[in-house]
């Protein structure tokens, strides 16, 4: 008798949770960019827990699915928010006056350029996922373009406004994407359409 046996462990699709984290953190962060909320002190907790930890959890569960795209996307942006939270804490003096004095905001510009490059190739990948994710990635492209340019003083007011509007729209579309993932799987049918892949690069 064959003594070998295998156990299959099913892991839930983490997309809904990851998109919820993205939606909350971008909604809160955009309120600061619009000037509705003063400063980033109370943005930091949401950057750490919703932007970073929730997306990291989604990343680790996408690893179990063998989903390279989801793993890279959720993981990449999770560590972006960890980095932003720590950077804001340095600027606010949480790690001492010396670090606060040495903090040069232009460093953010290079981070934003790096993440713009990352998001551009992830946008290409999102073409073959669904239209909701494609819209989110295009908006993230605009967000990082606006952040990079405004940090370096290029059309600063316009680019800051572009970043604020893009970030708010990212939140709204991410809420929709999260809702669609939850409700479609709960009801076992397409309750909210995510939009089919464009089918440009693969059939």
């Amino acid at each position: 008798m064959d003594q070998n046996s295998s156990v299959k462990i099913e892991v839930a699709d983490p997309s809904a949770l990851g998109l919820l984290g993205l939606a909350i953190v971008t909604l809160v962060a955009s309120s600061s960019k619009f000037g509705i909320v003063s400063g980033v002190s109370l943005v930091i907790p949401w950057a750490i827990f919703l932007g970073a930890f929730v997306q990291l959890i989604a990343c680790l569960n996408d690893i179990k699915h063998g989903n390279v795209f989801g793993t890279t996307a959720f993981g990449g942006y999770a560590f972006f928010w960890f980095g932003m939270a720590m950077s804001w804490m340095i600027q606010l003096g949480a790690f001492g006056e010396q670090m606060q004095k040495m903090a040069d905001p232009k460093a953010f510009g290079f981070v934003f350029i790096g993440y713009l490059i990352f998001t551009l190739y992830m946008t290409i990948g999102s073409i073959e996922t669904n239209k909701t994710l494609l819209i989110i990635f295009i908006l993230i492209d605009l967000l990082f373009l606006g952040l990079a340019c405004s940090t370096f003083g290029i059309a600063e007011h316009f680019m800051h406004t572009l970043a604020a509007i893009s970030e708010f729209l990212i939140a709204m579309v991410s809420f929709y994407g999260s809702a669609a993932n939850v409700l479609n799987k709960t009801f076992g049918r397409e309750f909210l359409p995510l939009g089919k892949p464009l089918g440009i690069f693969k059939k």
Side-chain angles (χ1 to χ4, degrees):
M1 185 173 68
D2 186 2
Q3 298 298 315
N4 295 323
S5 61
S6 60
V7 178
K8 182 180 178 182
I9 300 175
E10 291 198 7
V11 179
D13 184 344
S15 299
L17 180 63
L19 287 172
L20 173 64
L22 178 62
I24 295 293
V25 72
T26 49
L27 181 63
V28 176
S30 68
S31 70
S32 176
K33 288 181 179 63
F34 280 120
I36 300 169
V37 172
S38 178
V40 294
S41 294
L42 291 181
V43 179
I44 292 172
W46 304 101
I48 293 172
F49 292 104
L50 272 294
F53 276 118
V54 165
Q55 290 196 86
L56 183 58
I57 291 168
C59 160
L60 295 174
N61 280 282
D62 259 337
I63 289 173
K64 296 175 184 178
H65 281 280
N67 182 350
V68 174
F69 182 87
T71 297
T72 308
F74 285 130
Y77 295 122
F79 286 103
F80 169 80
W81 287 109
F82 275 127
M84 286 304 302
M86 181 168 283
S87 298
W88 286 331
M89 291 168 73
I90 290 170
Q91 287 184 318
L92 292 168
F95 298 102
E97 289 185 11
Q98 188 62 29
M99 286 190 75
Q100 184 181 30
K101 287 177 183 176
M102 297 297 291
D104 186 346
K106 289 194 293 297
F108 283 133
F110 292 98
V111 173
F112 299 145
I113 289 171
Y115 265 91
L116 174 59
I117 295 168
F118 169 62
T119 307
L120 284 169
Y121 67 75
M122 294 302 288
T123 303
I124 295 171
S126 72
I127 289 171
E128 301 303 344
T129 56
N130 59 65
K131 291 186 179 70
T132 302
L133 273 183
L134 176 58
I135 292 168
I136 290 171
F137 276 98
I138 290 171
L139 290 169
I140 297 174
D141 289 327
L142 294 175
L143 169 62
F144 283 122
L145 176 65
L147 290 173
C149 289
S150 61
T151 300
F152 288 121
I154 302 169
E156 189 171 353
H157 178 72
F158 173 79
M159 288 297 178
H160 179 82
T161 303
L162 174 65
I165 293 171
S166 299
E167 194 161 42
F168 176 76
L169 292 175
I170 290 164
M172 295 301 102
V173 182
S174 295
F175 274 125
Y176 176 85
S178 178
N181 274 279
V182 170
L183 299 175
N184 292 352
K185 288 179 175 62
T186 300
F187 299 146
R189 63 183 179 87
E190 188 181 68
F191 186 80
L192 292 174
L194 288 166
K196 296 186 182 300
L198 294 183
I200 295 173
F201 301 112
K202 68 177 186 180
K203 301 300 180 184

